[in-house]
Amino acid sequence: MRESLQDTATDPRSRRTRGTLRRVGIAGTGSYAPEHVLSNADLERMVDTSDEWIRARTGMQERRIARPDQATSDLAIQAGRRALQDAGLAADELDLIVVATATPDTLFPATACRVQAGLGAHRAATFDISAACSGFVHALTTCQGLLASRAFDHALVIGAEVLSSIVDYKDRNTCVLFGDAAGAVVLAPCSGEDPPGELLDNVIGTDSSGIDLIQQPGGGSRHPATAETVAANLHFMKLEGRKVFKFAVNAICESVDQILRRNGLTLDDLDLLIPHQANLRIIEAATERLGLDPSRVAVNIERYGNTSSASIPLVLDELARAGRLQRGQLVCLAAFGAGLSWGTTLLRW
Ligand SMILES: CC(C)(COP(=O)(O)OP(=O)(O)OC[C@H]1O[C@@H](n2cnc3c(N)ncnc32)[C@H](O)[C@@H]1OP(=O)(O)O)[C@@H](O)C(=O)NCCC(=O)NCCS
């Protein structure tokens, strides 16, 4: 442990000018997916399902599964390191690390603390955000505000999951849907005319009338882990997929419409929509209802399945590294998930 905490009295930010918000942008991206592939053919051998059903109903072909010795922070550290490298930032220049996850290494301390240790980012404050599949956009929204207000200068925002640790591989309703991965971005202040990666606006929200539709009932204070809760499978994820489906399409369409309208923009201005990858049919239904050309909607669900908070930053990093994002493009990230929650970010690449 360090001998003393940072002396905030001599920290220039403690003498900051109040009331002047800074602009904030993405300075680098990174992602990581475990090597092991779980294919539809593998699942056919585990539960009563078929490649045909999974492809037709979800668009998924394979997903990645962490090794038994890999926890969420291990995936997050890999993605974080790649994002730092992309941003040209050293780990000790970070002053904030936020991890969005529904599958933390432990209920406490926060997974972000382990990421700090793994990266050697010893100056960084750390905390986790719990907003399930909307978690990355919730974390982005939080960190943008913290950087804009000058509380921090450089943030590493990570969405990371080992969903295989809470999926029941005897339940065909859920086990075909999920995979493990991590995605990360470095946020930094930006300025000038159209700086790259600038975050323009965020919308986040919750409709708790659907609170029970996606959950992991056991292991928390409502059903503390006991031999009985484990025998009753309460430590596994439960999902009422059909009801979530309808909510998801509405959440994408309404939040994208809201964020464009309040920024004086229309769908014609939007170059790319990056939706949460939960089901190809959800993405296609939202694309059709919005009236967007499918070529303007990013999809990688066939290779990773639903990786919850990692799904959007994973797509973003893949597109950025493949050179498929052009400077100046208007990009919208649209997440939805347990809560029921949603989160949408508008950015200029
Ligand atoms: C889960 C989901 C793929 C199911 O697809 P669906 O078209 O809604 O299918 P249904 O739930 O209506 O089930 C249709 C049938 O397929 C069966 N089925 C479910 N999983 C199956 C599988 N893996 N293989 C074969 N059959 C399966 C069901 O038992 C049901 O059978 P029944 O008609 O005899 O009862 C879909 O609803 C979905 O993607 N929902 C949202 C996902 C979500 O919530 N993700 C997490 C939050 S982001």
Side-chain angles (χ1 to χ4, degrees):
M1 208 174 101
R2 281 171 299 154
E3 303 235 315
S4 66
L5 298 174
Q6 190 169 346
D7 181 0
T8 50
T10 60
D11 183 342
R13 283 167 302 171
S14 68
R15 300 190 297 271
R16 67 188 178 270
T17 314
R18 290 183 189 278
T20 52
L21 291 180
R22 293 190 295 196
R23 294 156 71 193
V24 176
I26 294 175
T29 66
S31 63
Y32 171 79
E35 289 73 27
H36 179 67
V37 172
L38 182 69
S39 68
N40 290 353
D42 295 328
L43 286 159
E44 281 178 348
R45 289 187 282 275
M46 296 161 72
V47 289
D48 179 16
T49 190
S50 66
D51 175 48
E52 193 189 0
W53 191 97
I54 302 171
R55 281 179 196 247
R57 297 295 183 112
T58 72
M60 298 172 191
Q61 297 174 24
E62 58 186 43
R63 58 293 291 142
R64 302 297 184 88
I65 302 295
R67 295 189 312 263
D69 66 326
Q70 281 180 312
T72 294
S73 65
D74 298 310
L75 278 54
I77 289 164
Q78 299 274 4
R81 200 171 278 142
R82 290 172 186 179
L84 285 171
Q85 208 167 33
D86 189 40
L89 201 74
D92 62 8
E93 291 177 88
L94 282 175
D95 49 11
L96 180 62
I97 300 172
V98 176
V99 175
T101 185
T103 50
D105 286 29
T106 49
L107 284 180
F108 72 88
T111 299
C113 305
R114 297 189 194 279
V115 174
Q116 188 212 52
L119 292 175
H122 301 296
R123 290 180 54 242
T126 59
F127 59 91
D128 288 359
I129 281 189
S130 170
C133 303
S134 308
F136 179 74
V137 173
H138 279 62
L140 214 52
T141 305
T142 306
C143 291
Q144 179 185 4
L146 290 169
L147 264 62
S149 69
R150 296 165 196 269
F152 297 93
D153 288 326
H154 294 101
L156 179 62
V157 185
I158 307 176
E161 306 285 0
V162 177
L163 291 164
S164 59
S165 66
I166 62 163
V167 163
D168 180 357
Y169 284 97
K170 292 192 177 80
D171 174 13
R172 71 174 184 176
N173 291 298
T174 51
C175 75
V176 303
L177 300 175
F178 298 98
D180 303 334
V185 299
V186 171
L187 294 186
C190 59
S191 58
E193 199 176 330
D194 291 336
E198 184 176 12
L199 301 179
L200 303 176
D201 197 8
N202 309 289
V203 167
I204 59 172
T206 299
D207 174 3
S208 56
S209 68
I211 200 164
D212 294 327
L213 297 182
I214 318 170
Q215 57 172 324
Q216 182 193 8
S221 59
R222 186 160 301 279
H223 298 295
T226 62
E228 287 74 27
T229 64
V230 173
N233 282 340
L234 297 190
H235 56 298
F236 288 133
M237 185 192 321
K238 314 288 177 208
L239 177 68
E240 291 194 41
R242 213 177 301 181
K243 290 182 184 160
V244 178
F245 194 107
K246 205 172 151 200
F247 156 78
V249 177
N250 283 337
I252 296 175
C253 294
E254 286 171 21
S255 63
V256 168
D257 181 59
Q258 181 187 1
I259 205 164
L260 287 173
R261 261 190 301 117
R262 79 182 193 186
N263 285 277
L265 298 162
T266 71
L267 275 173
D268 289 341
D269 298 308
L270 188 63
D271 293 296
L272 189 68
L273 174 64
I274 303 183
H276 170 47
Q277 310 282 305
N279 186 318
L280 183 60
R281 286 160 51 225
I282 292 175
I283 296 172
E284 287 173 346
T287 303
E288 194 182 327
R289 199 198 295 176
L290 284 167
L292 263 179
D293 188 301
S295 65
R296 288 194 281 154
V297 182
V299 175
N300 70 1
I301 194 170
E302 69 283 0
R303 286 176 288 127
Y304 299 106
N306 181 349
T307 58
S308 192
S309 67
S311 91
I312 286 177
L314 179 61
V315 178
L316 186 68
D317 182 53
E318 281 198 343
L319 292 173
R321 281 172 197 267
R324 287 182 51 208
L325 291 172
Q326 311 301 324
R327 262 299 289 278
Q329 282 188 326
L330 190 69
V331 180
C332 191
L333 318 178
F336 54 85
L340 294 169
S341 61
W342 61 90
T344 300
T345 291
L346 194 63
L347 63 98
R348 179 78 65 188
W349 190 251

